[in-house]
Amino acid sequence: MTKKFNPTIVGFFCNWCTYLAADLAGTSRMKYAPNVRVVRTMCSGRVDPQMVLWAFHHGADGVLIGGCHPGDCHYQEGNYKALRRTRLLRKMLAQFGIEPERLRLEWISAAEAERLRDVMNEFTTQIRQLGPLRKEAVKPAAMAA
Amino acid sequence: MQLKWEDTAINGNGNNGARIGVYICHCGTNIAGKVDVNAVVESVANLPGVVIAREYKYMCSDPGQELIVQDAKEFDLNRVVVASCSPHLHELTFRRATANAGKNPYLMHMVNIREHVSWVTDDPASATEKSKKLVKAAVQRIFWHEKLEPRRFPVNPNVLIVGGGIAGIHAALTLASAGKQVYLVERKPTIGGHMAQFDKTFPTLDCAACILTPKMTAVRQHPNIHLMTYSEVSEVSGFVGNFKVKVKRYPRYIDEEKCIGCLECIEACVYKEGKYVNEFDLGLGKRKPIYMPFPQAVPPVPVIDPATCIEFKSHKCPKGCMEVCGDRDAIDFAQKVQEVELEVGTVIMATGFKTFDPNRVPQYGYGKFSNVYTSLEVERLVNASGPTLGQVVMRDGRRPESIGVLHCIGSRDENTNKYCSRVCCMYSLKLAHLLKEKTGAHIYNFYIDMRTPGKGFEEFYKRVLEEGVSMIRGKVAEVSAWPQSPAEEGKLILRVEDTLLGVVRRIPVDMVVLSVGMEPHADVAEVRRLFNLGCSVEGWFLERHPKLAPVDTFTDGIFLAGCNQGPKDIPDTVAQAGAAAAQSMALIDKRYVEMDPNTAWIDEELCSGCHVCVAMCPYTAIHFDAEKKVAVLNEALCKGCGTCVAACPSGAAQQNLFRDEQLFAEVEGVLV
């Protein structure tokens, strides 16, 4: 590839912490990589593993899930469920031939705009180094479930 | 009918009758300065279902909203997408506009291309590209939106106020005089907070007690205020309008109902003199095991400290207190912790602050040199009801002839707190004035920058200057007791770079005052989790919007007042407490709350009865119907996190506004 690879990343951000951190980063005019496209959910616990697979299936090179810090979940413990699901899902991704590092879970509170910026940039760089997701890795058949 | 996302118009199977209007906001130049709004309009104009796509300078303005209303009529729209700022800012605005157009407000979806795109992206081409994808995703998502009705719940008119400092007191009195029932919970044995410890208040030099204690008495006497001192909130459940709160009431071993406040029991204690540290005087005074924190304490009921009372230690005390109390029978050594349950509709957090602990900056010698004081200690020292009855006598018994007041201790410092505590310059000037008045000593104030923005503040600064207080611009590096000249003998020596003269100076003084800044309480993390609040990095409670919703929090029905939201002075605290009371009343007087219908529901037909969701729900909103062998969701208990939806293996659980179809379509939209 001669052109610099520009990854596409889907972000699932919870309404109360990470989405607000992204809002604060905006209000503070912090600049970061434009690669993460954010889908808002009320809680990181709403992120269905199928949605992550769906994202990879449709061409995402990486998926970033953002939730509240442990103990801070607006819904008490949704972030713990996101954590459990993400760990299992990463194992499953490896079985699909997708590098588990393409899925990242981060706790970013509503006040941590700087951290959000850093994570956005870091993750983009990391996925850029990994290169594009091999499309053949995810067969449509695998998505049928 | 269950629609599958493969069936959507985007995939070419008709558009389910969707007629979508798409609106791209310029937000002046906030968005349009970075994002090519016309290109975004073009990119979505021909998407299936899109009937009209427009850009407009300010969508949130009246003409912007009117555009939606007019288009809805002209083009018979049944779906609306607005790409502008964060939904946290204007979702309600555009839902209302959609409702004004005669459409169901939940058939509108917002795209955040300001906070998430134009403000954070350097390159205009990337910003435009990202916006296009996000808007396209919203168009695909909106296909799956349905008509919904907001949920309505009644609002309990009772209010819980946590913290009985000036913020809690003012909010309580405001609400109570409007006829609301208020539960005021205070952790300490008396209300009054930090303000009760102060001597005078800047810049008017009003006596703090003279303006505070009438309000404290009013709290006690008000029939609508239920005062619970020596109590802590231990559990909070429920939601806006319908909170259930448990309050732990610690035993003061004196019955508040029976005590008449004669204080004879304190006189009668076997200890003839105070022996233990009086917390209220910050260790500068002594108290007995039975004591009143200060003379004007409210409620005017003494407290027995079981850790120091002989009766608790050995059961061999002659109990002079009980004897003198006699028939009044107010003393009760058998009191236990009580738990009280309250039902309230709104909560005001007025939990205050703590002062910075100067042990963290050992170079200033606090705790090492007895004549180094914190500013709060000096407040007690100059106070007529303080441990020295207002005489400025140092710990070594001398009266100071020279005093150094060091500003910014624990503020504006990379090593401790980066923020400015806002009140220290002014209270340092006030203390300089009071100390000068009381002792005639020579006073030096050491400041980094003199910050006096406020009504009458700069004038007060001038006045103190004219009184002959020396202002030295420089941060003191060290307080030592190592004399290098006869003049420094027996003194504390302040080493400082006078940045106006450009020289390092050594200034000997008798007494040092550390103007400590404000910090969140040590247990702020537990308190914030109890009430489900957010915090800034420093630990201040997070307001919903720094400018437009300064007393609201992200938990509906919980409001902030005073220094738990950030350092502020008394006028600002009182103003904020009034605002919190008003916000609380706005909810109460409306009598009901409307909440987003983003609850989950379970399709009985699809449910396989696997029980997975039952265990997922943190609110026990889902139970298993053994007869039908399906999970059943109680909508009233559901708070709409959607974790059951993510867990359901058969797609039977769904969440309004975040249905699988909606989210899958959105994910596809941002990518393809």
Side-chain angles (χ1 to χ4, degrees):
Chain A
M1 238 182 355
T2 49
K3 220 177 118 193
K4 192 173 154 196
F5 165 56
N6 212 11
T8 309
I9 298 165
V10 175
F12 294 104
F13 286 3
C14 84
N15 184 56
W16 304 102
C17 288
T18 312
Y19 193 91
L20 284 173
D23 276 5
L24 182 60
T27 324
S28 318
R29 312 296 199 275
M30 293 176 179
K31 299 288 186 261
Y32 56 79
N35 303 59
V36 182
R37 292 162 193 171
V38 176
V39 172
R40 182 167 67 119
T41 58
M42 292 310 283
C43 179
S44 54
R46 173 65 185 92
V47 181
D48 189 333
Q50 285 189 81
M51 284 169 9
V52 177
L53 295 177
W54 186 251
F56 283 126
H57 177 56
H58 282 88
D61 300 301
V63 171
L64 174 65
I65 303 173
C68 308
H69 282 274
D72 288 356
C73 178
H74 193 79
Y75 303 103
Q76 297 182 13
E77 50 194 35
N79 51 355
Y80 293 130
K81 279 146 196 166
L83 176 66
R84 296 199 313 231
R85 286 175 191 144
T86 306
R87 289 204 173 149
L88 275 174
L89 188 55
R90 282 163 69 107
K91 286 189 178 172
M92 194 172 153
L93 288 178
Q95 292 167 0
F96 277 136
I98 299 175
E99 298 89 337
E101 305 83 68
R102 290 187 188 272
L103 172 61
R104 181 161 169 180
L105 174 67
E106 283 290 343
W107 311 135
I108 304 174
S109 85
E112 294 176 323
E114 289 176 14
R115 214 174 107 64
L116 179 116
R117 175 197 60 196
D118 295 345
V119 167
M120 293 291 220
N121 285 334
E122 265 173 47
F123 192 51
T124 305
T125 310
Q126 195 190 342
I127 298 297
R128 186 170 281 137
Q129 281 162 0
L130 276 173
L133 178 67
R134 287 168 295 126
K135 292 291 186 297
E136 64 276 14
V138 188
K139 296 276 189 315
M143 300 302 304
Chain B
M1 191 185 77
Q2 278 278 316
L3 295 167
K4 292 276 172 257
W5 56 86
E6 288 85 356
D7 301 338
T8 60
I10 292 84
N11 291 326
N13 293 337
N15 64 14
N16 305 323
R19 297 182 64 80
I20 307 169
V22 184
Y23 301 87
I24 316 293
C25 181
H26 295 205
C27 194
T29 55
N30 283 309
I31 293 170
K34 191 68 82 175
V35 175
D36 182 346
V37 286
N38 288 311
V40 178
V41 167
E42 273 171 38
S43 76
V44 293
N46 295 320
L47 288 178
V50 175
V51 180
I52 178 83
R54 293 180 188 275
E55 32 72 41
Y56 189 72
K57 196 150 189 180
Y58 290 106
M59 279 308 295
C60 61
S61 67
D62 279 351
Q65 295 183 51
E66 192 54 30
L67 211 57
I68 297 175
V69 176
Q70 289 307 320
D71 281 357
K73 274 189 203 145
E74 195 181 333
F75 299 101
D76 191 25
L77 299 181
N78 55 18
R79 299 274 194 285
V80 174
V81 170
V82 182
S84 54
C85 50
S86 171
H88 283 279
L89 206 60
H90 273 311
E91 193 168 51
L92 209 56
T93 311
F94 295 118
R95 276 191 182 151
R96 277 199 203 116
T98 309
N100 287 342
K103 310 294 167 192
N104 186 287
Y106 298 97
L107 295 173
M108 189 285 303
H109 188 70
M110 251 185 109
V111 190
N112 186 346
I113 57 167
R114 193 179 72 170
E115 282 85 344
H116 287 197
V117 183
S118 67
W119 277 351
V120 292
T121 312
D122 263 329
D123 168 38
S126 305
T128 307
E129 191 52 34
K130 189 174 173 183
S131 303
K132 282 181 187 171
K133 289 291 186 196
L134 291 175
V135 177
K136 176 168 174 281
V139 169
Q140 291 190 207
R141 184 193 215 274
I142 199 80
F143 270 97
W144 301 101
H145 278 229
E146 305 151 303
K147 289 182 186 170
L148 296 168
E149 293 303 324
R151 296 180 294 159
R152 258 192 193 200
F153 295 98
V155 172
N156 183 318
N158 302 342
V159 186
L160 168 71
I161 298 180
V162 190
I166 182 60
I169 289 171
H170 186 77
L173 287 170
T174 309
L175 285 159
S177 50
K180 315 300 173 202
Q181 299 296 312
V182 177
Y183 298 100
L184 180 58
V185 176
E186 165 60 46
R187 181 186 271 179
K188 299 232 171 85
T190 171
I191 56 170
H194 278 104
M195 187 172 169
Q197 292 175 299
F198 301 160
D199 182 42
K200 302 284 189 292
T201 56
F202 63 78
T204 47
L205 299 176
D206 294 285
C207 155
C210 311
I211 54 178
L212 178 66
T213 51
K215 294 192 83 147
M216 289 166 61
T217 313
V219 165
R220 188 170 71 90
Q221 290 170 344
H222 207 295
N224 293 345
I225 299 179
H226 310 278
L227 181 58
M228 299 184 188
T229 51
Y230 223 21
S231 306
E232 279 184 308
V233 175
S234 58
E235 219 177 292
V236 181
S237 60
F239 57 94
V240 52
N242 304 275
F243 290 107
K244 284 195 174 62
V245 181
K246 282 188 184 160
V247 178
K248 264 196 184 140
R249 307 206 62 186
Y250 297 107
R252 64 200 300 149
Y253 304 107
I254 293 174
D255 191 321
E256 280 183 41
E257 301 294 319
K258 293 180 183 165
C259 177
I260 58 160
C262 67
L263 310 186
E264 283 176 24
C265 50
I266 300 179
E267 283 296 311
C269 180
V270 285
Y271 288 98
K272 290 298 154 225
E273 294 289 325
K275 192 178 172 203
Y276 301 100
V277 163
N278 184 352
E279 297 84 354
F280 188 80
D281 284 332
L282 305 151
L284 295 172
K286 301 274 193 236
R287 61 159 172 81
K288 298 178 180 181
I290 183 165
Y291 67 102
M292 283 272 275
F294 63 105
Q296 304 98 326
V298 167
V301 178
V303 199
I304 297 176
D305 171 17
T308 52
C309 173
I310 292 180
E311 177 59 18
F312 280 92
K313 286 200 276 194
S314 66
H315 302 287
K316 284 179 189 155
C317 183
K319 288 179 280 201
C321 52
M322 251 177 140
E323 198 178 305
V324 76
C325 196
D327 291 344
R328 295 185 290 259
D329 192 28
I331 296 180
D332 177 7
F333 288 105
Q335 265 188 5
K336 295 268 176 298
V337 180
Q338 280 183 314
E339 201 165 60
V340 187
E341 284 192 31
L342 307 173
E343 291 193 359
V344 296
T346 51
V347 179
I348 295 177
M349 300 296 288
T351 48
F353 65 97
K354 74 172 169 66
T355 50
F356 175 78
D357 174 8
N359 286 308
R360 285 170 59 193
V361 281
Q363 65 270 34
Y364 298 121
Y366 183 78
K368 183 176 167 196
F369 305 122
S370 67
N371 292 340
V372 178
Y373 289 80
T374 68
S375 44
L376 198 55
E377 287 167 349
V378 175
E379 294 280 357
R380 297 309 301 150
L381 220 48
V382 294
N383 192 305
S385 65
T388 55
L389 303 173
Q391 299 298 311
V392 182
V393 182
M394 298 189 297
R395 288 189 179 101
D396 64 7
R398 287 189 299 142
R399 291 175 67 90
E401 285 169 9
S402 52
I403 303 170
V405 182
L406 278 54
H407 294 216
C408 298
I409 304 297
S411 305
R412 304 185 68 199
D413 184 342
E414 291 286 329
N415 300 311
T416 54
N417 295 312
K418 290 182 190 166
Y419 55 85
C420 165
S421 291
R422 278 189 63 183
V423 294
C424 318
C425 278
M426 281 308 291
Y427 81 57
S428 299
L429 292 173
K430 174 196 74 181
L431 289 177
H433 165 85
L434 293 175
L435 287 168
K436 185 143 188 83
E437 187 181 66
K438 296 219 170 210
T439 64
H442 194 88
I443 317 265
Y444 303 89
N445 273 44
F446 300 88
Y447 66 98
I448 307 176
D449 294 294
M450 190 61 74
R451 295 188 168 175
T452 57
K455 199 174 179 182
F457 288 13
E458 186 68 17
E459 293 89 329
F460 186 76
Y461 174 35
K462 273 207 113 163
R463 172 181 167 180
V464 174
L465 273 174
E466 282 159 12
E467 285 171 0
V469 172
S470 301
M471 302 289 169
I472 296 174
R473 187 173 175 276
K475 191 173 174 178
V476 172
E478 185 186 39
V479 176
S480 72
W482 190 6
Q484 291 183 1
S485 68
E488 292 179 355
E489 222 46 77
K491 303 266 183 185
L492 292 167
I493 300 111
L494 305 174
R495 217 154 54 85
V496 60
E497 182 190 354
D498 187 325
T499 57
L500 293 181
L501 294 180
V503 293
V504 175
R505 296 171 69 177
R506 290 173 62 86
I507 297 173
V509 293
D510 292 323
M511 181 183 185
V512 171
V513 181
L514 303 179
S515 295
V516 286
M518 292 180 177
E519 281 188 336
H521 282 295
D523 63 347
V524 69
E526 286 104 272
V527 174
R528 125 186 117 96
R529 280 171 193 169
L530 196 58
F531 290 91
N532 205 355
L533 301 174
C535 267
S536 69
V537 181
E538 300 84 14
W540 305 113
F541 290 145
L542 214 55
E543 63 281 354
R544 194 164 192 122
H545 191 277
K547 291 166 193 75
L548 302 178
V551 300
D552 299 60
T553 66
F554 285 102
T555 302
D556 288 333
I558 301 188
F559 304 100
L560 303 176
C563 290
N564 56 13
Q565 181 256 347
K568 50 182 71 66
D569 60 8
I570 294 166
D572 283 4
T573 297
V574 171
Q576 205 189 14
Q583 292 291 1
S584 169
M585 264 187 276
L587 266 176
I588 296 167
D589 288 350
K590 196 177 169 195
R591 291 162 190 268
Y592 65 85
V593 276
E594 281 195 344
M595 288 163 79
D596 267 1
N598 57 11
T599 45
W601 44 272
I602 293 167
D603 188 333
E604 273 188 24
E605 299 282 306
L606 293 175
C607 177
S608 65
C610 72
H611 285 75
V612 164
C613 57
V614 180
M616 280 292 134
C617 183
Y619 305 104
T620 57
I622 308 177
H623 73 273
F624 190 73
D625 184 331
E627 216 164 274
K628 286 187 180 170
K629 293 195 170 56
V630 291
V632 179
L633 189 138
N634 179 350
E635 203 191 337
L637 293 177
C638 176
K639 294 203 181 181
C641 63
T643 191
C644 56
V645 187
C648 180
S650 32
Q654 286 301 334
Q655 184 188 7
N656 286 330
L657 293 172
F658 295 90
R659 288 178 54 167
D660 276 347
E661 291 89 342
Q662 294 165 348
L663 288 173
F664 278 79
E666 191 177 346
V667 172
E668 195 183 313
V670 296
L671 291 165
V672 184

